[in-house]
Amino acid sequence: MNPTKTLHNLGQSLWLDNITRDLLNSGTLQRYIDEFSVTGLTSNPTIFDHAIKNSADYDSDIARRLSHARPAEDLFFELALTDLTRAADLLRPVFTRTNGVDGWVSLEVSPVLAHDTQHTIAAARSQPARRQVQPVHKNPRHQRRIARYRGRYLCRRPD
């Protein structure tokens, strides 16, 4: 048996700590969910920065979005949340099948804020507002607040 399936069968939730547009477009994330029992995904601004800088997969989306004047940080988060929403869509069956125990997608705040508590809290609170999401559930096991956006589940750290 596949070692990751063995871990999953023993009750371990396997999360991928990475996301790229290619991971989504190529079907690799879906394959990881199906074949390797990946049950969640987390990312952070550093991972997205690396994905955007090292791939042409984002170029057309960036060019199209640049036609609307906006701060670079807003553009960055639009791209990140687009990918995370797609990942959440792929993990939604896991969320449903496990009654919300698994099937989560999260976005951490910037590591630049690691030693700045007030700005970290402000950044965490602003993430759901970027997608106009509404909190719908708090899962005590994960201690993350879940937010629903058009039937998709995204999460952030508690206030």
Side-chain angles (χ1 to χ4, degrees):
M1 178 181 277
N2 178 322
T4 57
K5 283 196 182 282
T6 301
L7 281 173
H8 176 75
N9 292 342
L10 291 170
Q12 181 65 50
S13 297
L14 303 173
W15 281 44
L16 186 63
D17 189 13
N18 186 29
I19 190 167
T20 64
R21 185 94 17 119
D22 182 60
L23 192 69
L24 295 163
N25 291 343
S26 68
T28 301
L29 179 57
Q30 185 64 61
R31 187 171 59 82
Y32 288 174
I33 295 166
D34 296 340
E35 296 177 20
F36 300 113
S37 302
V38 167
T39 59
L41 182 142
T42 189
S43 191
N44 63 52
T46 301
I47 290 170
F48 271 106
D49 183 55
H50 182 75
I52 291 168
K53 284 180 181 175
N54 295 304
S55 170
D57 293 337
Y58 295 88
D59 292 353
S60 63
D61 208 7
I62 291 170
R64 188 177 71 255
R65 292 170 191 255
L66 281 177
S67 63
H68 305 19
R70 66 173 53 100
E73 183 179 11
D74 288 352
L75 174 59
F76 175 85
F77 276 102
E78 286 177 25
L79 295 169
L81 290 173
T82 295
D83 284 3
L84 289 172
T85 299
R86 289 180 61 197
D89 288 342
L90 294 175
L91 286 160
R92 180 61 186 264
V94 175
F95 183 90
T96 301
R97 184 177 68 250
T98 64
N99 295 315
V101 172
D102 285 318
W104 297 72
V105 170
S106 71
L107 176 62
E108 300 167 9
V109 295
S110 173
V112 172
L113 302 174
H115 301 289
D116 187 340
T117 302
Q118 294 305 314
H119 283 103
T120 298
I121 292 168
R125 286 183 173 153
S126 74
Q127 286 178 2
R130 293 178 189 277
R131 281 290 248 195
Q132 301 173 351
V133 295
Q134 300 298 317
V136 296
H137 179 70
K138 187 171 181 178
N139 182 327
R141 179 172 176 193
H142 294 283
Q143 290 300 302
R144 287 180 165 84
R145 180 175 291 165
I146 305 306
R148 186 178 180 147
Y149 174 70
R150 293 188 189 163
R152 300 172 182 116
Y153 286 85
L154 308 172
C155 64
R156 65 181 171 96
R157 300 201 184 276
D159 297 345

